[in-house]
Short mmCIF file of all heavy atoms in Angstrom, two decimals:
data_model
loop_
_atom_site.label_atom_id
_atom_site.label_comp_id
_atom_site.label_asym_id
_atom_site.label_seq_id
_atom_site.Cartn_x
_atom_site.Cartn_y
_atom_site.Cartn_z
N GLN A 301 -3.83 18.08 -3.79
CA GLN A 301 -4.00 19.39 -4.44
C GLN A 301 -3.48 20.42 -3.45
O GLN A 301 -3.98 20.54 -2.33
CB GLN A 301 -5.48 19.60 -4.79
CG GLN A 301 -5.92 21.02 -5.04
CD GLN A 301 -6.70 21.54 -3.84
OE1 GLN A 301 -7.68 20.93 -3.43
NE2 GLN A 301 -6.27 22.66 -3.28
N GLY A 302 -2.40 21.12 -3.83
CA GLY A 302 -1.77 22.08 -2.93
C GLY A 302 -2.76 23.17 -2.50
O GLY A 302 -3.59 23.60 -3.29
N GLY A 303 -2.65 23.60 -1.24
CA GLY A 303 -3.43 24.75 -0.78
C GLY A 303 -2.94 25.98 -1.53
O GLY A 303 -1.74 26.19 -1.63
N MET A 304 -3.85 26.78 -2.07
CA MET A 304 -3.44 27.93 -2.88
C MET A 304 -4.31 29.14 -2.60
O MET A 304 -5.54 29.07 -2.76
CB MET A 304 -3.54 27.58 -4.37
CG MET A 304 -2.55 26.53 -4.82
SD MET A 304 -2.76 26.13 -6.54
CE MET A 304 -4.24 25.13 -6.50
N VAL A 305 -3.66 30.24 -2.22
CA VAL A 305 -4.42 31.47 -1.97
C VAL A 305 -5.27 31.82 -3.19
O VAL A 305 -4.82 31.72 -4.32
CB VAL A 305 -3.49 32.67 -1.61
CG1 VAL A 305 -2.89 32.50 -0.23
CG2 VAL A 305 -2.42 32.88 -2.66
N TRP A 306 -6.51 32.18 -2.94
CA TRP A 306 -7.48 32.65 -3.93
C TRP A 306 -7.87 31.63 -4.98
O TRP A 306 -8.55 31.95 -5.95
CB TRP A 306 -6.98 33.95 -4.61
CG TRP A 306 -6.70 34.99 -3.58
CD1 TRP A 306 -5.47 35.50 -3.25
CD2 TRP A 306 -7.64 35.61 -2.70
NE1 TRP A 306 -5.60 36.39 -2.23
CE2 TRP A 306 -6.91 36.49 -1.87
CE3 TRP A 306 -9.04 35.50 -2.53
CZ2 TRP A 306 -7.52 37.25 -0.88
CZ3 TRP A 306 -9.64 36.27 -1.55
CH2 TRP A 306 -8.88 37.12 -0.75
N CYS A 307 -7.43 30.37 -4.85
CA CYS A 307 -7.79 29.33 -5.82
C CYS A 307 -8.52 28.17 -5.16
O CYS A 307 -9.46 27.62 -5.73
CB CYS A 307 -6.54 28.75 -6.50
SG CYS A 307 -5.58 29.90 -7.44
N LEU A 324 -7.10 20.30 -0.47
CA LEU A 324 -6.73 21.17 0.66
C LEU A 324 -7.35 22.55 0.47
O LEU A 324 -7.22 23.16 -0.60
CB LEU A 324 -5.21 21.35 0.75
CG LEU A 324 -4.32 20.13 0.98
CD1 LEU A 324 -2.85 20.58 1.09
CD2 LEU A 324 -4.73 19.36 2.23
N GLY A 326 -7.18 26.44 1.03
CA GLY A 326 -6.06 27.36 1.20
C GLY A 326 -6.42 28.46 2.18
O GLY A 326 -7.03 29.47 1.82
N ALA A 327 -6.04 28.26 3.46
CA ALA A 327 -6.44 29.22 4.49
C ALA A 327 -5.71 30.56 4.37
O ALA A 327 -6.16 31.55 4.93
CB ALA A 327 -6.19 28.63 5.88
N GLY A 328 -4.61 30.56 3.61
CA GLY A 328 -3.78 31.77 3.52
C GLY A 328 -4.52 33.00 3.04
O GLY A 328 -4.11 34.13 3.34
N SER A 329 -5.61 32.83 2.31
CA SER A 329 -6.36 33.99 1.82
C SER A 329 -7.74 34.10 2.47
O SER A 329 -8.63 34.76 1.93
CB SER A 329 -6.50 33.92 0.29
OG SER A 329 -7.02 32.66 -0.11
N ASN A 353 -4.56 23.92 4.31
CA ASN A 353 -3.17 24.42 4.26
C ASN A 353 -3.10 25.73 5.04
O ASN A 353 -3.89 26.64 4.80
CB ASN A 353 -2.73 24.67 2.81
CG ASN A 353 -1.47 25.54 2.75
OD1 ASN A 353 -1.51 26.67 2.30
ND2 ASN A 353 -0.35 25.02 3.22
N VAL A 354 -2.15 25.78 5.98
CA VAL A 354 -1.98 26.99 6.78
C VAL A 354 -0.55 27.52 6.65
O VAL A 354 0.39 26.90 7.18
CB VAL A 354 -2.26 26.72 8.28
CG1 VAL A 354 -2.14 28.01 9.08
CG2 VAL A 354 -3.63 26.09 8.48
N PRO A 355 -0.35 28.64 5.94
CA PRO A 355 0.97 29.28 5.96
C PRO A 355 1.20 29.84 7.37
O PRO A 355 0.35 30.56 7.90
CB PRO A 355 0.84 30.40 4.92
CG PRO A 355 -0.37 30.03 4.08
CD PRO A 355 -1.29 29.32 5.03
N PHE A 377 -1.80 20.86 6.44
CA PHE A 377 -0.50 21.04 5.78
C PHE A 377 -0.01 22.43 6.16
O PHE A 377 -0.64 23.42 5.79
CB PHE A 377 -0.64 20.94 4.26
CG PHE A 377 -0.64 19.53 3.73
CD1 PHE A 377 -1.43 18.54 4.30
CD2 PHE A 377 0.15 19.19 2.63
CE1 PHE A 377 -1.42 17.25 3.80
CE2 PHE A 377 0.16 17.89 2.12
CZ PHE A 377 -0.63 16.91 2.70
N THR A 378 1.09 22.51 6.92
CA THR A 378 1.64 23.82 7.28
C THR A 378 2.77 24.16 6.30
O THR A 378 3.39 23.28 5.70
CB THR A 378 2.18 23.81 8.72
OG1 THR A 378 3.06 22.70 8.90
CG2 THR A 378 1.04 23.71 9.72
N SER A 379 2.99 25.47 6.13
CA SER A 379 4.05 25.92 5.22
C SER A 379 4.57 27.27 5.72
O SER A 379 3.99 27.87 6.62
CB SER A 379 3.50 26.06 3.79
OG SER A 379 2.37 26.91 3.75
N ALA A 380 5.67 27.71 5.11
CA ALA A 380 6.23 29.04 5.37
C ALA A 380 6.45 29.33 6.86
O ALA A 380 5.96 30.32 7.40
CB ALA A 380 5.31 30.11 4.76
N VAL A 400 5.64 21.76 4.55
CA VAL A 400 6.28 22.02 3.25
C VAL A 400 7.69 22.57 3.46
O VAL A 400 7.87 23.54 4.20
CB VAL A 400 5.45 23.04 2.42
CG1 VAL A 400 6.07 23.24 1.04
CG2 VAL A 400 4.00 22.63 2.32
N VAL A 419 6.32 17.64 2.58
CA VAL A 419 6.17 18.04 1.18
C VAL A 419 7.47 18.75 0.81
O VAL A 419 7.84 19.74 1.45
CB VAL A 419 5.00 19.04 0.98
CG1 VAL A 419 4.88 19.42 -0.50
CG2 VAL A 419 3.70 18.46 1.51
N GLU A 421 9.23 20.94 -1.97
CA GLU A 421 8.76 21.73 -3.11
C GLU A 421 9.93 22.41 -3.83
O GLU A 421 10.65 23.22 -3.25
CB GLU A 421 7.78 22.79 -2.59
CG GLU A 421 7.04 23.51 -3.68
CD GLU A 421 6.29 24.72 -3.12
OE1 GLU A 421 6.96 25.63 -2.59
OE2 GLU A 421 5.07 24.74 -3.22
N GLY A 422 10.12 22.05 -5.08
CA GLY A 422 11.19 22.64 -5.89
C GLY A 422 10.81 24.04 -6.37
O GLY A 422 9.65 24.43 -6.35
N GLU A 424 10.52 25.37 -9.19
CA GLU A 424 9.67 25.52 -10.38
C GLU A 424 8.25 25.90 -9.97
O GLU A 424 7.45 26.36 -10.78
CB GLU A 424 9.55 24.19 -11.13
CG GLU A 424 10.84 23.55 -11.60
CD GLU A 424 11.42 22.58 -10.58
OE1 GLU A 424 11.29 22.83 -9.37
OE2 GLU A 424 12.01 21.58 -11.02
N ALA A 425 7.93 25.64 -8.70
CA ALA A 425 6.55 25.72 -8.21
C ALA A 425 5.98 27.13 -8.28
O ALA A 425 6.70 28.12 -8.19
CB ALA A 425 6.49 25.22 -6.77
N GLY A 426 4.65 27.18 -8.37
CA GLY A 426 3.96 28.46 -8.23
C GLY A 426 3.93 28.86 -6.77
O GLY A 426 4.12 28.03 -5.88
N GLY A 427 3.73 30.14 -6.51
CA GLY A 427 3.62 30.62 -5.12
C GLY A 427 4.97 31.00 -4.55
O GLY A 427 5.91 31.30 -5.28
N HIS A 428 5.07 30.92 -3.22
CA HIS A 428 6.30 31.33 -2.54
C HIS A 428 7.31 30.18 -2.58
O HIS A 428 6.94 29.03 -2.43
CB HIS A 428 6.00 31.75 -1.10
CG HIS A 428 5.20 33.01 -1.07
ND1 HIS A 428 5.68 34.20 -0.57
CD2 HIS A 428 3.94 33.28 -1.53
CE1 HIS A 428 4.75 35.13 -0.73
NE2 HIS A 428 3.69 34.59 -1.29
N ALA A 454 6.65 18.20 -4.81
CA ALA A 454 5.87 19.29 -5.41
C ALA A 454 6.79 20.17 -6.25
O ALA A 454 8.00 20.26 -5.98
CB ALA A 454 5.22 20.13 -4.30
N GLY A 455 6.19 20.82 -7.23
CA GLY A 455 6.95 21.75 -8.06
C GLY A 455 7.21 21.20 -9.44
O GLY A 455 8.04 20.32 -9.62
N GLY A 456 6.44 21.69 -10.40
CA GLY A 456 6.68 21.29 -11.79
C GLY A 456 6.04 19.98 -12.19
O GLY A 456 6.34 19.44 -13.25
N ILE A 457 5.13 19.47 -11.35
CA ILE A 457 4.47 18.19 -11.68
C ILE A 457 3.04 18.49 -12.16
O ILE A 457 2.26 19.08 -11.42
CB ILE A 457 4.42 17.26 -10.45
CG1 ILE A 457 5.83 17.07 -9.88
CG2 ILE A 457 3.78 15.92 -10.81
CD1 ILE A 457 5.85 16.62 -8.44
N ALA A 458 2.75 18.12 -13.38
CA ALA A 458 1.39 18.36 -13.89
C ALA A 458 0.91 17.22 -14.77
O ALA A 458 -0.17 17.30 -15.34
CB ALA A 458 1.35 19.67 -14.67
N GLN A 475 2.29 16.62 -4.76
CA GLN A 475 1.39 17.76 -4.52
C GLN A 475 1.42 18.62 -5.78
O GLN A 475 2.48 19.01 -6.25
CB GLN A 475 1.83 18.58 -3.31
CG GLN A 475 1.03 19.88 -3.15
CD GLN A 475 1.20 20.51 -1.78
OE1 GLN A 475 0.83 19.93 -0.78
NE2 GLN A 475 1.75 21.71 -1.73
N ILE A 476 0.24 18.88 -6.31
CA ILE A 476 0.11 19.62 -7.56
C ILE A 476 -0.62 20.92 -7.28
O ILE A 476 -1.68 20.92 -6.62
CB ILE A 476 -0.65 18.76 -8.61
CG1 ILE A 476 0.22 17.54 -8.97
CG2 ILE A 476 -1.03 19.58 -9.84
CD1 ILE A 476 -0.42 16.58 -9.95
N GLY A 477 -0.07 22.05 -7.75
CA GLY A 477 -0.73 23.33 -7.56
C GLY A 477 -1.22 23.91 -8.87
O GLY A 477 -2.43 24.00 -9.14
N THR A 478 -0.26 24.26 -9.73
CA THR A 478 -0.57 24.99 -10.97
C THR A 478 -1.72 24.38 -11.78
O THR A 478 -2.65 25.08 -12.16
CB THR A 478 0.72 25.10 -11.81
OG1 THR A 478 1.61 25.99 -11.11
CG2 THR A 478 0.45 25.64 -13.20
N ARG A 479 -1.67 23.07 -12.02
CA ARG A 479 -2.71 22.48 -12.89
C ARG A 479 -4.10 22.62 -12.26
O ARG A 479 -5.08 22.88 -12.95
CB ARG A 479 -2.40 21.01 -13.22
CG ARG A 479 -3.30 20.48 -14.33
CD ARG A 479 -2.82 19.18 -14.93
NE ARG A 479 -3.72 18.72 -15.99
CZ ARG A 479 -3.62 17.55 -16.60
NH1 ARG A 479 -2.63 16.72 -16.29
NH2 ARG A 479 -4.49 17.20 -17.54
N ALA A 481 -4.89 25.01 -10.07
CA ALA A 481 -5.23 26.44 -10.00
C ALA A 481 -5.95 26.88 -11.28
O ALA A 481 -6.75 27.81 -11.26
CB ALA A 481 -3.96 27.27 -9.82
N PHE A 492 -7.18 35.53 -15.19
CA PHE A 492 -5.93 34.92 -14.69
C PHE A 492 -5.72 33.55 -15.33
O PHE A 492 -4.65 33.23 -15.82
CB PHE A 492 -6.00 34.83 -13.16
CG PHE A 492 -4.86 34.06 -12.54
CD1 PHE A 492 -3.62 34.64 -12.37
CD2 PHE A 492 -5.05 32.75 -12.10
CE1 PHE A 492 -2.56 33.92 -11.78
CE2 PHE A 492 -4.01 32.03 -11.51
CZ PHE A 492 -2.76 32.63 -11.36
N ILE A 551 -5.03 37.34 -8.85
CA ILE A 551 -5.55 35.96 -9.02
C ILE A 551 -7.08 35.92 -8.94
O ILE A 551 -7.74 35.26 -9.74
CB ILE A 551 -4.94 35.01 -7.95
CG1 ILE A 551 -3.40 35.01 -8.05
CG2 ILE A 551 -5.50 33.60 -8.09
CD1 ILE A 551 -2.69 34.29 -6.91
N LEU A 561 0.62 37.92 -9.94
CA LEU A 561 0.12 36.76 -10.67
C LEU A 561 1.02 35.56 -10.39
O LEU A 561 2.07 35.40 -11.01
CB LEU A 561 0.09 37.07 -12.17
CG LEU A 561 -0.65 38.37 -12.56
CD1 LEU A 561 -0.39 38.72 -14.01
CD2 LEU A 561 -2.14 38.24 -12.28
N GLU A 562 0.62 34.73 -9.43
CA GLU A 562 1.45 33.60 -9.00
C GLU A 562 1.06 32.34 -9.76
O GLU A 562 -0.09 31.92 -9.70
CB GLU A 562 1.25 33.33 -7.50
CG GLU A 562 1.66 34.49 -6.61
CD GLU A 562 1.43 34.18 -5.13
OE1 GLU A 562 1.25 33.00 -4.77
OE2 GLU A 562 1.40 35.14 -4.35
N ILE A 563 2.03 31.74 -10.45
CA ILE A 563 1.77 30.44 -11.09
C ILE A 563 3.12 29.75 -11.32
O ILE A 563 4.16 30.41 -11.35
CB ILE A 563 0.98 30.61 -12.43
CG1 ILE A 563 0.18 29.34 -12.78
CG2 ILE A 563 1.88 31.00 -13.58
CD1 ILE A 563 -1.01 29.07 -11.93
N GLY A 564 3.09 28.42 -11.50
CA GLY A 564 4.33 27.67 -11.64
C GLY A 564 4.83 27.61 -13.09
O GLY A 564 4.08 27.86 -14.04
N GLN A 565 6.10 27.22 -13.24
CA GLN A 565 6.71 27.11 -14.58
C GLN A 565 5.92 26.16 -15.49
O GLN A 565 5.85 26.36 -16.69
CB GLN A 565 8.14 26.55 -14.46
CG GLN A 565 9.15 27.53 -13.92
CD GLN A 565 10.57 26.98 -14.02
OE1 GLN A 565 10.78 25.78 -14.23
NE2 GLN A 565 11.54 27.85 -13.86
N ILE A 566 5.33 25.13 -14.87
CA ILE A 566 4.69 24.07 -15.66
C ILE A 566 3.42 24.56 -16.36
O ILE A 566 2.87 23.87 -17.22
CB ILE A 566 4.41 22.83 -14.77
CG1 ILE A 566 4.29 21.54 -15.58
CG2 ILE A 566 3.19 23.02 -13.89
CD1 ILE A 566 5.57 21.01 -16.11
C1 FMN B 710 -1.68 30.55 -7.20
C2 FMN B 710 -0.91 29.76 -6.20
C3 FMN B 710 -1.08 30.02 -4.86
C4 FMN B 710 -0.39 29.27 -3.89
N1 FMN B 710 -0.63 29.51 -2.56
C5 FMN B 710 -0.04 28.71 -1.62
C6 FMN B 710 -0.39 28.85 -0.23
O1 FMN B 710 -1.22 29.66 0.16
N2 FMN B 710 0.24 28.03 0.66
C7 FMN B 710 1.16 27.07 0.27
O2 FMN B 710 1.70 26.35 1.11
N3 FMN B 710 1.48 26.92 -1.05
C8 FMN B 710 0.88 27.70 -1.98
N4 FMN B 710 1.15 27.48 -3.32
C9 FMN B 710 2.02 26.33 -3.70
C10 FMN B 710 1.15 25.06 -3.96
O3 FMN B 710 0.49 24.63 -2.81
C11 FMN B 710 1.99 23.89 -4.51
O4 FMN B 710 2.91 23.42 -3.56
C12 FMN B 710 2.75 24.28 -5.77
O5 FMN B 710 1.92 25.01 -6.62
C13 FMN B 710 3.26 23.03 -6.47
O6 FMN B 710 3.98 23.34 -7.63
P1 FMN B 710 3.29 23.53 -9.09
O7 FMN B 710 2.73 24.91 -9.06
O8 FMN B 710 4.44 23.43 -10.02
O9 FMN B 710 2.27 22.47 -9.25
C14 FMN B 710 0.49 28.25 -4.30
C15 FMN B 710 0.65 27.99 -5.67
C16 FMN B 710 -0.04 28.72 -6.62
C17 FMN B 710 0.13 28.39 -8.07
#
Side-chain angles (χ1 to χ4, degrees):
Q301 160 255 306
M304 293 178 285
V305 288
W306 304 113
C307 298
L324 299 182
S329 51
N353 164 248
V354 183
F377 277 47
T378 51
S379 55
V400 184
V419 180
E421 190 191 62
E424 302 92 325
H428 292 247
I457 305 158
Q475 172 165 297
I476 293 178
T478 291
R479 192 166 180 187
F492 172 78
I551 301 170
L561 308 169
E562 298 180 17
I563 206 72
Q565 286 188 345
I566 203 74

